[in-house]
Amino acid sequence: MDNIKFIIPGKPEYLTMVRLAISSIATTAGFDLEAVEDMKTAVSEACKNISCHGYSGFADKYDVECNVEQGMIEITVRDDCDSHSIAKTHKPCEMCPSEGDLGIYVIETLMNKVEFGRGEDERKFIRMVKKV
């Protein structure tokens, strides 16, 4: 199994970099274009959910971990801190819970398996699996 992990600043402008990285990893793992696009969308929604929903600011940082095996990729997006001090410049997510619910629906629709939770370290995570 190949393991790729990176830490992302919580600023929304880094979401494009995450999407490009996921695209590259999934393409290298042999997924077709449709599956790659599904993963990019699901991971984008997971990053937005982990980094900002339910808080008055964005997370200072979060991490994305990919475990790649033959015919399968597992992607975990994990809140890396309790600090959410980066000010939001747009409508606060805590005021739009239906947007977060829609993101969860999108993730669950596009991926084969999805798990939401908190680790033993109390960090929030979203774990997603996509199979060929």
Side-chain angles (χ1 to χ4, degrees), residues 114-129:
V114 180
E115 178 185 359
F116 299 87
R118 284 193 182 270
E120 292 179 12
D121 56 4
E122 290 301 310
R123 293 167 55 193
K124 294 186 308 180
F125 69 84
I126 300 174
R127 184 171 295 118
M128 302 160 280
V129 174

Side-chain angles (χ1 to χ4, degrees), residues 45-100:
E45 292 298 329
C47 290
K48 286 189 279 186
N49 187 288
I50 285 290
S51 71
C52 69
H53 283 282
Y55 296 98
S56 59
F58 293 106
D60 290 340
K61 59 184 176 173
Y62 59 96
D63 63 55
V64 177
E65 181 174 9
C66 302
N67 292 307
V68 182
E69 291 185 29
Q70 183 68 33
M72 188 273 299
I73 187 168
E74 177 187 83
I75 305 165
T76 304
V77 179
R78 195 176 287 108
D79 191 349
D80 200 40
C81 61
D82 289 328
S83 178
H84 288 76
S85 63
I86 300 171
K88 291 183 181 179
T89 57
H90 297 32
K91 178 179 171 186
C93 292
E94 64 189 34
M95 302 303 284
C96 54
S98 60
E99 179 183 321

Side-chain angles (χ1 to χ4, degrees), residues 13-74:
E13 56 265 29
Y14 286 100
L15 194 53
T16 299
M17 189 274 313
V18 173
R19 290 175 55 83
L20 289 170
I22 293 300
S23 178
S24 177
I25 293 165
T27 300
T28 301
F31 285 88
D32 65 25
L33 182 59
E34 183 178 346
V36 170
E37 291 299 320
D38 287 351
M39 282 184 264
K40 285 171 38 181
T41 301
V43 170
S44 293
E45 292 298 329
C47 290
K48 286 189 279 186
N49 187 288
I50 285 290
S51 71
C52 69
H53 283 282
Y55 296 98
S56 59
F58 293 106
D60 290 340
K61 59 184 176 173
Y62 59 96
D63 63 55
V64 177
E65 181 174 9
C66 302
N67 292 307
V68 182
E69 291 185 29
Q70 183 68 33
M72 188 273 299
I73 187 168
E74 177 187 83

